[in-house]
Amino acid sequence: MSNHHHDEEFRLNTPEFEQLNKKLERREFLTKTAMGLGAIAVGSLFGKSLFGKSGTAMAGSAGDTEQDILRAIPHFAPKAKRVVYLFMSGGPSQFELFDYKPKLATMAGQNLPDSVRKGQRLTGMSANQSSLPVVPSFFKFNQHGQSQTWMSELMPHTAQVVDDLCIVKSVFSEQINHDPAITFFQTGNQLPGRPSIGSWLSYGLGSDNNNLPTFIVLVSKNGQKDQPLYSRLWGNGFLPSKFQGVQFGSGKDPVLFLNNPEGYDGNDRKEMLDYLSKLNKLQNGAYGDPEVDARIAQYEMAYRMQTSVPEVMSTASEPDEIFEMYGPDSRDPGTYAANCLLARKLLEKDVKFVQLYHQGWDQHSSLPKGIAQQCKATDQATAALIKDLKQRGLLEDTLVIWGGEFGRTVYSQGKLTANDYGRDHHPRCFTMWMAGAGVKPGITYGETDDFSYNIVKDPVHVHDFQATLLHLMGIDHERLTYKFQGRRFRLTDVEGKVVKNILT
C-alpha cells in the first residue's frame, strides 16, 4: 500500500483508467441508444396502448412499477415489527407433542380403517406394508395453564408458556416429501427458484438496522442431519441478491470472508471499497444491471458488519441467570439453545427476520427415543426465548413461529412393539404454533379427527399461514409482488387467505 496517501484524482486518471472509461461511455451510448430505438420500433407495432400517459412502458396489469408497489407498504398498521421462525426440519409428530388422541389407546395395533385413509397416497416408505397398524403415543399428556391446553410430558418448559401460545392443529400441505415440502413452506412453491419468506419481507419492508442484514439464518450444529438443508431455502430467488438471507455460523468467523486478511486494516478496506464502488457505478451505467447496485450495497454492508457482528455475537455480558434460563447448551455456540439466545440479541437490534433451523425430527423408526432427544435439545430454549422476549417488552411486537414441513402418520411405519415404533410423513394435518405480536394467546385453533389423519374444522393451508404472517407485518399478500419473466409473482402464488380468527 505504498500509494496509500496519494491523491484520489491522480489514481483514477491513469491512462488505463481513461481508456476503460471511454470504452464504457461508448458502450453505454450504444446500449442505451439501441434500447431506445428498439422500444420505439416495438411501440410503433403495438400502438399507444403499450405506453402510459408519460410514454413509458407499463409494468404489470395495473401499471404499477416496483417503486409504486414498495411505496404503498405497509398497507396497514403492522402488529409485528420483527419475526423469529423456529423451523423444526424433518416433520415433528403432532401425536407425541400437541394433538392429544386418547381414543387411539383402544385401537392400538388395529389396521387403519379405509374410511379414514380415504385412498390418500402414502410415501414409498410405507405404501407396500402389509398392514398400517394404529399406534397411540407412548407419552403422557396433561392440561396446563389457565387455558387448560393439553401438552405432552416431553415439553415441560413449553407447557409453562402455553398461555402465550396460539396452537394451530389444522395446518396442511400437498407436499409429502421433505425437499418439496420445506421449499413450499419457505418459498411458496414446491420447486426451487422462488424467493424465501425472509427475502420477500426484506424486499417489501427494508431494514431497521443498517449495520446488520435484514434477514439472518442460524442452523443448529447439533441437529441430526437426516436431510440436508439447502441455502436456497433462505435465498432471494429472482429478487436482487441483497435480499437473500445471511447465514451466521458459530466458529471464529460467523460470517465467512467478513474479516480483513492478515496485514490489511480497516482504512485499507474502506479505501478499496470506495474505488470498487466507483468502478461498479461505471459498469452499472454501461450495462444498466441492477445486480451491480446490489453488489455495491453488499460490500458496504460487509464493511459495517465488521464492527456490528462481533458485538452482537458476543454473549460475554449476559448474566448467569439468562444462561440458566436457556439451558446448559446455551454456553456452547452453535447449539439450538445458543442460537435462541443469539436470536433474542438480533431481535433486540431490530433485525427484521431471524430464522432458526433445527434438524432431526424425521423419526421413521425408534420414534420414542428420537423425539425425546429432540425435545431435550429444544424445549427449554424455545420456552426461554418466549420468556426472555416477554420480560424485555419485545414479545408484544415480535412474532414467534414454531413448526416443521408436515406431521406424522397415525400408523406405525415398520415393526410395531410395545415400546418402539416409527411414523411416516403426513401432510394432511399437523400442528404449528405462533406467539406474540398480533396473535391471540392461550388458544387452540382447528381440529382433526380421532386419528389426526384428516381435518374436521378450520383448515389452514401453507399459503394461508404465509398470508397471515405477511398480514401481521402490515402487508397485503396479494399486493406484494415482483415482476419476473413477464409475470407478477408473490409469496402466496394465486392462493392464500388471512386466518383472521387467530388474530387480536
Side-chain angles (χ1 to χ4, degrees):
M1 300 299 291
S2 59
N3 294 328
H4 183 78
H5 298 292
H6 284 201
D7 182 73
E8 176 179 302
E9 291 302 317
F10 172 78
R11 295 184 63 182
L12 284 179
N13 291 331
T14 61
E16 292 82 2
F17 190 89
E18 288 296 326
Q19 186 177 6
L20 172 63
N21 200 15
K22 288 179 180 178
K23 286 182 179 179
L24 289 172
E25 288 175 353
R26 184 165 60 250
R27 185 175 293 163
E28 177 182 11
F29 170 77
L30 292 173
T31 301
K32 292 188 174 180
T33 303
M35 290 176 64
L37 293 173
I40 294 171
V42 173
S44 67
L45 292 174
F46 287 94
K48 295 181 180 180
S49 62
L50 181 65
F51 298 94
K53 292 180 180 179
S54 63
T56 57
M58 301 294 280
S61 58
D64 291 334
T65 65
E66 307 305 337
Q67 290 77 17
D68 293 332
I69 291 169
L70 297 180
R71 265 197 298 270
I73 296 174
H75 301 126
F76 36 80
K79 295 290 184 70
K81 292 182 179 179
R82 60 196 80 84
V83 178
V84 55
Y85 190 168
L86 311 174
F87 194 86
M88 304 293 114
S89 177
S93 172
Q94 71 274 24
F95 293 96
E96 276 65 37
L97 302 178
F98 300 105
D99 205 2
Y100 182 42
K101 297 298 177 185
K103 293 183 181 180
L104 292 181
T106 62
M107 294 193 64
Q110 297 181 32
N111 200 46
L112 176 67
D114 291 339
S115 60
V116 175
R117 181 184 165 189
K118 298 179 181 179
Q120 297 169 25
R121 69 173 176 148
L122 310 178
T123 75
M125 292 169 284
S126 60
N128 295 322
Q129 287 187 194
S130 59
S131 65
L132 302 173
V134 169
V135 52
S137 174
F138 182 75
F139 301 96
K140 296 178 181 178
F141 276 70
N142 291 291
Q143 290 176 290
H144 295 273
Q146 293 183 352
S147 58
Q148 289 293 286
T149 302
W150 288 100
M151 290 283 292
S152 167
E153 63 178 324
L154 287 172
M155 307 184 85
H157 295 279
T158 303
Q160 295 174 12
V161 297
V162 71
D163 285 337
D164 293 307
L165 308 185
C166 172
I167 300 173
V168 183
K169 294 183 177 180
S170 54
V171 186
F172 73 100
S173 171
E174 291 85 19
Q175 315 311 324
I176 201 170
N177 290 310
H178 295 287
D179 193 340
I182 297 177
T183 305
F184 190 42
F185 248 104
Q186 300 305 300
T187 72
N189 194 282
Q190 64 175 317
L191 299 177
R194 301 287 183 89
S196 57
I197 296 173
S199 293
W200 277 112
L201 287 174
S202 298
Y203 163 68
L205 295 172
S207 175
D208 293 328
N209 185 331
N210 291 326
N211 296 321
L212 287 168
T214 309
F215 175 20
I216 293 177
V217 175
L218 305 168
V219 180
S220 302
K221 71 176 184 182
N222 59 339
Q224 300 172 29
K225 307 299 189 290
D226 295 314
Q227 307 85 30
L229 289 174
Y230 306 101
S231 59
R232 57 176 166 78
L233 296 174
W234 48 91
N236 55 293
F238 44 69
L239 293 175
S241 59
K242 66 180 179 180
F243 299 119
Q244 68 183 329
V246 177
Q247 184 180 354
F248 278 20
S250 57
K252 180 181 178 182
D253 297 321
V255 181
L256 295 178
F257 314 116
L258 185 64
N259 290 333
N260 291 325
E262 188 176 347
Y264 206 69
D265 64 25
N267 291 327
D268 295 332
R269 180 70 167 250
K270 183 66 171 68
E271 186 178 24
M272 181 273 288
L273 289 176
D274 288 341
Y275 285 116
L276 183 61
S277 179
K278 293 177 186 294
L279 288 170
N280 281 330
K281 287 175 180 176
L282 282 170
Q283 184 182 13
N284 194 26
Y287 293 105
D289 184 359
E291 195 59 27
V292 176
D293 285 333
R295 291 291 180 182
I296 294 172
Q298 287 168 330
Y299 278 122
E300 292 173 348
M301 171 62 78
Y303 178 74
R304 296 192 297 272
M305 286 168 61
Q306 287 187 311
T307 301
S308 61
V309 168
E311 176 191 357
V312 78
M313 294 293 289
S314 174
T315 57
S317 62
E318 296 291 333
D320 288 341
E321 55 264 29
I322 290 295
F323 289 110
E324 292 169 3
M325 183 167 67
Y326 281 87
D329 284 350
S330 62
R331 296 183 183 273
D332 183 4
T335 61
Y336 177 81
N339 285 347
C340 281
L341 176 54
L342 180 56
R344 188 221 79 206
K345 288 172 62 66
L346 292 169
L347 294 168
E348 280 185 306
K349 297 292 185 180
D350 283 323
V351 174
K352 196 167 295 293
F353 195 85
V354 181
Q355 182 138 28
L356 275 64
Y357 285 91
H358 186 80
Q359 297 165 275
W361 294 92
D362 192 27
Q363 284 99 27
H364 290 275
S365 61
S366 302
L367 184 144
K369 179 181 178 182
I371 201 166
Q373 291 174 339
Q374 289 295 97
C375 289
K376 184 178 180 181
T378 60
D379 173 50
Q380 182 173 353
T382 298
L385 180 59
I386 298 288
K387 295 176 182 177
D388 205 3
L389 290 172
K390 192 172 184 178
Q391 71 183 7
R392 295 168 191 272
L394 290 170
L395 188 61
E396 61 190 29
D397 55 10
T398 301
L399 178 65
V400 185
I401 303 167
W402 184 102
E405 67 267 35
F406 41 55
R408 314 304 294 194
T409 55
V410 65
Y411 61 81
S412 176
Q413 179 183 340
K415 187 177 181 180
L416 171 61
T417 68
N419 298 316
D420 198 25
Y421 54 91
R423 297 190 191 275
D424 204 353
H425 308 165
H426 189 64
R428 297 295 302 174
C429 56
F430 53 102
T431 301
M432 296 178 65
W433 59 254
M434 291 182 279
V439 295
K440 294 177 180 177
I443 71 164
T444 298
Y445 184 81
E447 293 180 18
T448 60
D449 60 21
D450 290 337
F451 298 83
S452 195
Y453 208 88
N454 299 292
I455 296 169
V456 297
K457 183 180 179 182
D458 297 327
V460 177
H461 187 260
V462 173
H463 284 316
D464 300 335
F465 156 73
Q466 293 162 342
T468 305
L469 191 163
L470 293 181
H471 178 86
L472 289 167
M473 298 295 286
I475 297 173
D476 180 345
H477 71 104
E478 294 183 352
R479 295 168 62 190
L480 178 59
T481 63
Y482 189 87
K483 192 174 184 181
F484 176 67
Q485 294 184 341
R487 177 193 162 188
R488 287 207 171 275
F489 288 87
R490 69 186 206 219
L491 173 62
T492 53
D493 197 33
V494 294
E495 301 178 77
K497 62 181 184 299
V498 176
V499 187
K500 296 182 178 179
N501 288 337
I502 70 171
L503 304 181
T504 55

